[in-house]
């Protein structure tokens, strides 16, 4: 199967991922998905060509809000001792 997939990547430029799940079928395993939502971020008016400083400022604002959200809910998901690292 590897040879066929490699040929498809080289000749057709596509990659077909192989996976299996419950009962050996092509359906994924049942994994609980948990989500939390934070307050919406105010990013101001849309700008056609934002400066690097403006993008950096909004990114810092996003990372701060994301870190706060993670810290508020991490104990609920069993990762209370971890810290969020955004790279």
């Amino acid at each position: 199967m590897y040879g066929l997939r490699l040929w498809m990547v080289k000749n057709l430029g596509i990659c077909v991922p192989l996976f299996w799940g419950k009962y050996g079928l092509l359906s994924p395993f049942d994994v609980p998905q948990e989500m939390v939502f934070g307050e919406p971020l105010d990013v101001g008016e849309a700008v056609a060509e934002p400066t690097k400083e403006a993008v950096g400022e909004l990114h810092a604002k996003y990372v701060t809000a994301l870190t706060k959200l993670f810290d508020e809910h991490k104990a609920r998901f069993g990762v209370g001792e971890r810290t969020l690292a955004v790279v």
Side-chain angles (χ1 to χ4, degrees), residues 52-78:
K52 286 186 179 186
E53 292 78 22
V55 171
E57 183 180 311
L58 285 175
H59 182 261
K61 191 175 181 181
Y62 171 75
V63 169
T64 300
L66 186 64
T67 303
K68 179 182 174 204
L69 193 63
F70 177 80
D71 289 339
E72 287 174 0
H73 297 279
K74 65 184 178 181
R76 179 175 140 198
F77 298 109

Side-chain angles (χ1 to χ4, degrees), residues 3 6 20 28 32 45 47 52 57 68 87:
L6 185 60
W20 62 92
E45 294 288 324
V47 179
K52 286 186 179 186
E57 183 180 311
K68 179 182 174 204
V87 292

Side-chain angles (χ1 to χ4, degrees), residues 13-73:
I14 61 170
C15 178
V16 179
L18 295 179
F19 62 92
W20 62 92
K22 198 173 188 178
Y23 311 117
L25 301 174
L26 292 177
S27 63
F29 288 105
D30 294 335
V31 177
Q33 299 293 314
E34 302 280 349
M35 281 188 233
V36 295
F37 296 92
E39 296 295 320
L41 294 178
D42 180 25
V43 297
E45 294 288 324
V47 179
E49 301 210 15
T51 63
K52 286 186 179 186
E53 292 78 22
V55 171
E57 183 180 311
L58 285 175
H59 182 261
K61 191 175 181 181
Y62 171 75
V63 169
T64 300
L66 186 64
T67 303
K68 179 182 174 204
L69 193 63
F70 177 80
D71 289 339
E72 287 174 0
H73 297 279

